[in-house]
Amino acid sequence: MERKILLKNVDVPGIRTFEVYRSTGGYDSVEKALKKMTPDEVVEEVKMSGLRGRGGAGFPAGMKWSFIDKKSGNPRYLICNADESEPGTFKDRYLMEKLPHLLIEGMICSCYALGANTGYIYVRGEYKYIIGILNQAILEAYEKGFLGKNILGTAFNLDIHVHSGAGAYICGEETAQIESLEGKRGNPRIKPPFPAVVGLYGCPTVVNNVETLANIGFIVNNGGGEYAKYGVGKSTGTKLISACGNINNPGVYEIELGLSVREFLYDPKYCGGVKNGKELKAVIAGGSSVPILPASLILKTAAGEERLMTYESLADGGFVSGTMLGSGGFIVYDEDACIVRNTWNLARFYHHESCGQCSPCREGTGWMESVLHRIENGHGRTKDIDLLVSIASKIEGNTICPLGDAAAWPIASAIRHFRHEFEEHVLHPEKCINSTIRQFDDVTIS
Amino acid sequence: MLKVTIDNQTIEVEEGTTILQAARLIGGAVVPPAMCYYSKLKDSGGKCRTCLVKVAQGSARDPRPMPKLVASCRTPVADGMVVQNITSQEVIDTRKAIVEFLLINHPLDCPVCDQAGECDLQNLSYENGREESRFEESKRTFKVIDIGDKIQLHMNRCILCYRCVYTADQLTNKRSHGILYRGDVSEISTYIQNDITNDFSGNIIDVCPVGALTDKTFRFKNRVWFLNPMNAHRSCTKCSGKVTAWMRGDEVYRVTGRKDQFGEVEEFICNECRFEKKDKEDWVIEGPRNIKRASVISQNHYLNARKPSVIIPLENRTESLEEYAKENSNENKIS
């Protein structure tokens, strides 16, 4: 029996409007939190729920909240990170498009818990149409007294502003997002200090993903203990997975954490199996920056256990034979996919999106892309493969922000699991199984 | 006071000191190289990653090692911290890789570059670089741009350390200098070719660790190792007037700030002193500057140079420690 938290009412007609949303029990949590609970009680409930950040890193949300500096007396801010730019991830877009009020409800409760009187929603520049949806929802919330001064007659004030990014992947990194919100160049800051102490305008700030905040309403309504009953172990609750690639039913699915990868991939309720009856070749399980896994390792761990859709199970085996749940971008490749071409495509993306601040990422991403481009176009040499591994290992862990890691992991893992394919590309480039679509070879980006 | 151990040498420093500053207090080989950090510029550092060090013990209270290498220029020390710089193979390997990264888009045109001989990147790659390049693709290229009438920008040579950006931002009251674009095509620029007209703009030449920003009044006039750096001063209404005059015979070829042993200027100087006073009569020459013996600038300038003596064990030593240190110091006066 599948249980849902976020997308329970997504099919109710008109759920995007305040009236319909309210009639399905929406905004009850705001009433409960503001009138019956103290901010610390809300934080405790979120801690108890075990909710982990849904943006990719999976850091416990309640813990993140408890780091916020309350002693300084400076105003506190909540930023909702809606700069969803990871290739393969499109769950936040779906959530904001269908259920904008769910996010706003979660933000009100979160701001109350953090003592923040201003919240920002930083929306990816490409999601222009969503800004209109969010603004409409915010306007309705203001009219009904759920935003603004003295919300529901209490002393709590809150304003939420929607801010549009300009299409930079790096602005999804929390400190770069803060810089961008301040009107500066979106360069990640050097940590420490962490945003919970010195964040937006030098004030304590919490940055949370859309999906994380959307869960807060349920937790306040039903208690953290109830939320923790969903999922398994330390992976509590549900997760939105955006499935794409060579599958029968691409789309956004809400799954309870603990579902097996096999069921998610082959059940007609979810992905419905690989398209056109082909064989599964590889899966990127959590958005483009997590390591790719071959079919043999994605369904079962190296120890032979069934792999589950949880933070722990997907990471089983470390980076040698595991991956990460990440942001939930589930990309499936069938037997015809060319791993070299795919890896080059990802390298091109990270090269384009590197902010250029620190040297390993700025120079290394471009270097990896050009080496991969050479291999993909039949000019590679066998030593290039080891060169790539060497470059990736020197970028990883030596950069200011995680973009360097995100660029290095897919390449290192593709070579780890599909080395033979890279070698085949070097020795017999004309035999590439994907040679029919190679007319786009000359496409370069500037 | 906090106790920190760097490469087995312990020192007590004040709270808020970074690992790099503590290492500089110890001095010698334990000082990590820094290409972007500049102690006189706020917010600088953390970008080039050449100063990465290993923290083997976080603090006395929490002895866990830090999971990744940290940028020593931006990481404050904690009491009981144990840091490994040249005693860690991981740090040495990483530094080698960083030098390789910095050089892949660098034109390596040292033979025609004015900075050669006093270039931080040259020194860094001499000490930590590889012998051969593994990078075969074409390098990024830019056109040479004039920033005002006295400064020239060779963007090809730039390693994007951001020092000049912080200088222009913090030393002058109107920001007219910044970074354009993103990633490895980003470039420093005065937007839409605006001149930098501030009186202290010339300092961006001094802070540049490579030959990206050069002095047009000195361009191609001479090589630094043919010149004698002399301490000189004049009474100036804008700055302290304390400079290094680079002379050959009686001619002043160029004027720069006085750089300390870490390549940082002691005081920023104004454009008038830097660009316009090129006459010996303008300056009171104090005497030669101390230059590191290892520097190419010092070549052929030493008088009475002698081979370093054999290290005599302390108990057999007849001279006092100060005398011994003086005689064996690797800093000598230039004639």
Side-chain angles (χ1 to χ4, degrees):
Chain A
M1 163 70 199
E2 52 166 1
R3 300 189 289 176
K4 287 184 177 180
I5 290 175
L6 300 172
L7 303 184
K8 208 165 32 189
N9 297 323
V10 74
D11 294 328
V12 176
I15 191 76
R16 213 190 266 172
T17 60
F18 182 89
E19 282 75 19
V20 178
Y21 182 75
R22 187 83 175 96
S23 69
T24 61
Y27 287 104
D28 283 355
S29 67
V30 176
E31 248 172 305
K32 185 179 175 191
L34 265 58
K35 290 185 173 164
K36 294 180 189 151
M37 294 168 84
T38 65
D40 286 344
E41 280 170 1
V42 180
V43 175
E44 278 312 307
E45 289 297 335
V46 175
K47 266 190 187 168
M48 206 198 297
S49 73
L51 172 67
R52 294 170 67 165
R54 301 294 196 225
F59 192 79
M63 188 112 79
K64 196 177 199 175
W65 286 10
S66 63
F67 291 152
I68 195 160
D69 176 23
K70 290 184 173 167
K71 288 183 209 126
S72 68
N74 286 333
R76 287 162 236 155
Y77 294 102
L78 174 74
I79 301 174
C80 168
N81 187 344
D83 192 67
E84 179 183 55
S85 320
E86 182 100 339
T89 309
F90 44 89
K91 62 182 178 70
D92 295 343
R93 181 185 70 189
Y94 184 79
L95 198 65
M96 289 187 289
E97 185 182 335
K98 298 282 183 187
L99 298 157
H101 283 289
L102 187 66
L103 171 63
I104 292 161
E105 181 183 353
M107 278 189 80
I108 299 171
C109 294
S110 309
C111 284
Y112 176 71
L114 293 165
N117 296 111
T118 313
Y120 292 92
I121 307 177
Y122 188 97
V123 184
R124 177 185 177 182
E126 285 88 338
Y127 288 179
K128 228 172 211 165
Y129 68 104
I130 286 184
I131 294 174
I133 295 170
L134 287 172
N135 275 331
Q136 176 64 29
I138 289 173
L139 195 71
E140 287 173 346
Y142 268 109
E143 280 171 3
K144 306 291 176 189
F146 281 90
L147 282 176
K149 288 223 180 308
N150 297 51
I151 296 168
L152 301 177
T154 63
F156 181 61
N157 306 327
L158 176 64
D159 290 306
I160 293 181
H161 306 280
V162 179
H163 187 93
S164 166
Y169 174 65
I170 190 64
C171 289
E173 200 277 341
E174 58 179 8
T175 53
Q177 185 158 91
I178 290 170
E179 287 276 299
S180 175
L181 257 179
E182 288 180 6
K184 297 179 192 153
R185 192 183 155 81
N187 278 357
R189 292 178 181 171
I190 293 148
K191 291 183 260 187
F194 290 92
V197 183
V198 180
L200 186 64
Y201 307 118
C203 299
T205 305
V206 166
V207 184
N208 279 135
N209 179 258
V210 173
E211 193 190 340
T212 316
L213 292 171
N215 275 309
I216 304 297
F218 179 89
I219 294 172
V220 170
N221 274 335
N222 303 291
E226 187 63 29
Y227 187 86
K229 285 181 189 160
Y230 291 72
V232 280
K234 284 185 174 174
S235 300
T236 58
T238 63
K239 174 96 186 78
L240 295 183
I241 304 285
S242 50
C244 63
N246 308 118
I247 46 174
N248 282 320
N249 312 322
V252 178
Y253 301 98
E254 181 173 13
I255 60 155
E256 192 176 332
L257 288 168
L259 186 79
S260 77
V261 175
R262 185 183 300 276
E263 190 181 343
F264 181 69
L265 191 52
Y266 290 107
D267 195 299
K269 267 194 309 204
Y270 304 112
C271 300
V274 182
K275 207 166 185 178
N276 301 330
K278 289 195 175 152
E279 284 291 310
L280 175 69
K281 180 172 190 177
V283 171
I284 297 178
S288 68
S289 51
V290 308
I292 189 170
L293 281 187
S296 56
L297 283 171
I298 187 68
L299 299 174
K300 281 198 181 340
T301 62
E305 288 164 24
E306 188 77 14
R307 214 184 268 281
L308 310 175
M309 297 289 278
T310 61
Y311 290 96
E312 292 80 22
S313 178
L314 281 170
D316 187 87
F319 278 2
V320 178
S321 62
T323 178
M324 285 165 76
L325 181 60
S327 57
F330 197 83
I331 311 170
V332 180
Y333 297 100
D334 70 15
E335 55 188 298
D336 287 347
C338 172
I339 297 296
V340 179
R341 187 180 179 82
N342 164 56
T343 310
W344 166 63
N345 191 31
L346 291 179
R348 195 180 64 160
F349 173 78
Y350 289 109
H351 174 209
H352 184 63
E353 296 297 345
S354 169
C355 81
Q357 195 181 198
C358 63
S359 29
C361 177
R362 177 182 69 235
E363 308 293 351
T365 50
W367 191 7
M368 290 196 296
E369 193 228 317
S370 48
V371 173
L372 278 163
H373 186 258
R374 206 165 63 206
I375 297 176
E376 166 66 12
N377 284 292
H379 307 296
R381 272 156 296 175
T382 320
K383 66 173 185 183
D384 285 343
I385 302 169
D386 287 327
L387 176 65
L388 280 172
V389 175
S390 163
I391 303 170
S393 72
K394 291 302 176 204
I395 297 175
E396 189 187 335
N398 294 331
T399 52
I400 294 176
C401 80
L403 194 141
D405 300 341
W409 289 342
I411 293 169
S413 64
I415 296 176
R416 192 181 307 128
H417 298 302
F418 296 95
R419 195 181 187 98
H420 55 93
E421 203 162 309
F422 283 84
E423 281 165 0
E424 184 73 11
H425 253 267
V426 168
L427 300 172
H428 309 289
E430 70 285 354
K431 285 190 190 162
C432 174
I433 38 185
N434 242 20
S435 56
T436 47
I437 60 157
R438 298 174 104 225
Q439 69 246 30
F440 298 115
D441 275 349
D442 293 326
V443 175
T444 48
I445 50 163
S446 58
Chain B
M1 296 295 267
L2 309 172
K3 204 176 252 181
V4 56
T5 306
I6 305 173
D7 284 346
N8 304 322
Q9 299 189 54
T10 306
I11 190 172
E12 286 203 342
V13 294
E14 277 172 38
E15 198 163 342
T17 313
T18 62
I19 298 173
L20 186 81
Q21 285 161 347
R24 283 182 176 185
L25 289 174
I26 295 172
V30 305
V31 184
M35 301 298 288
C36 65
Y37 173 76
Y38 210 78
S39 62
K40 280 143 195 102
L41 298 173
K42 206 176 137 265
D43 293 338
S44 68
K47 301 186 190 337
C48 70
R49 317 306 279 178
T50 52
C51 71
L52 291 179
V53 292
K54 189 174 174 64
V55 177
Q57 180 180 320
S59 67
R61 210 155 36 100
D62 181 7
R64 286 176 302 169
M66 289 193 185
K68 292 176 179 176
L69 301 184
V70 298
S72 59
C73 60
R74 291 292 290 261
T75 310
V77 298
D79 195 35
M81 187 184 256
V82 177
V83 179
Q84 294 177 334
N85 179 23
I86 49 173
T87 50
S88 160
Q89 190 58 40
E90 189 189 355
V91 170
I92 292 170
D93 290 346
T94 304
R95 197 162 289 157
K96 197 171 172 180
I98 302 293
V99 176
E100 188 176 24
F101 285 135
L102 286 175
L103 289 179
I104 63 171
N105 271 318
H106 190 80
L108 300 172
D109 57 349
C110 309
V112 294
C113 175
D114 277 328
Q115 190 86 359
E118 53 171 11
C119 173
D120 290 350
L121 188 60
Q122 244 180 352
N123 296 342
L124 184 75
S125 59
Y126 190 76
E127 283 160 17
N128 300 292
R130 304 170 65 93
E131 283 110 47
E132 82 291 351
S133 173
R134 297 189 293 174
F135 181 76
E136 300 168 21
E137 281 73 21
S138 50
K139 296 179 187 249
R140 61 179 186 151
T141 48
F142 299 90
K143 280 190 178 135
V144 175
I145 302 171
D146 283 344
I147 297 183
D149 58 344
K150 297 289 198 301
I151 307 169
Q152 196 161 54
L153 168 62
H154 286 253
M155 194 54 218
N156 290 353
R157 296 173 186 156
C158 179
I159 59 164
L160 288 162
C161 70
Y162 284 58
R163 277 183 189 173
C164 57
V165 177
Y166 290 122
T167 310
D169 208 11
Q170 292 169 21
L171 221 58
T172 68
N173 52 10
K174 196 183 87 190
R175 184 180 162 142
S176 47
H177 183 71
I179 303 268
L180 303 182
Y181 310 116
R182 191 169 68 196
D184 58 2
V185 292
S186 48
E187 55 179 294
I188 58 169
S189 175
T190 51
Y191 197 46
I192 328 181
Q193 308 297 312
N194 267 335
D195 289 1
I196 288 192
T197 47
N198 191 282
D199 274 339
F200 282 81
S201 63
N203 288 299
I204 62 175
I205 301 168
D206 276 355
V207 300
C208 185
V210 293
L213 292 163
T214 49
D215 182 345
K216 278 177 83 180
T217 63
F218 175 63
R219 208 163 168 258
F220 301 140
K221 294 263 167 63
N222 220 317
R223 308 300 323 222
V224 289
W225 56 86
F226 293 138
L227 303 176
N228 294 340
M230 306 295 252
N231 279 340
H233 69 264
R234 65 182 274 269
S235 65
C236 175
T237 51
K238 292 175 193 150
C239 66
S240 68
K242 288 180 186 163
V243 302
T244 302
W246 295 74
M247 303 180 62
R248 191 173 183 177
D250 280 347
E251 239 176 303
V252 177
Y253 273 85
R254 70 163 181 171
V255 177
T256 66
R258 293 183 183 177
K259 289 191 185 178
D260 63 15
Q261 54 171 323
F262 305 114
E264 295 182 2
V265 292
E266 285 161 11
E267 277 168 291
F268 292 114
I269 60 168
C270 70
N271 284 2
E272 190 186 336
C273 288
R274 182 187 302 274
F275 296 125
E276 302 186 3
K277 303 295 175 191
K278 292 291 179 76
D279 218 332
K280 202 189 171 190
E281 308 306 311
D282 294 330
W283 298 99
V284 180
I285 310 289
E286 296 163 19
R289 265 193 89 67
N290 278 355
I291 294 289
K292 261 193 201 150
R293 197 186 174 115
S295 166
V296 69
I297 300 171
S298 70
Q299 68 158 12
N300 301 330
H301 290 314
Y302 287 108
L303 286 181
N304 309 323
R306 62 166 187 160
K307 258 181 154 176
S309 56
V310 185
I311 295 170
I312 308 163
L314 200 60
E315 58 270 22
N316 301 342
R317 225 177 260 164
T318 50
E319 58 206 341
S320 75
L321 200 62
E322 286 78 35
E323 282 170 34
Y324 179 80
K326 203 171 163 190
E327 286 200 19
N328 291 284
S329 130
N330 61 358
E331 287 196 3
N332 278 319
K333 292 264 178 187
I334 283 177
S335 66

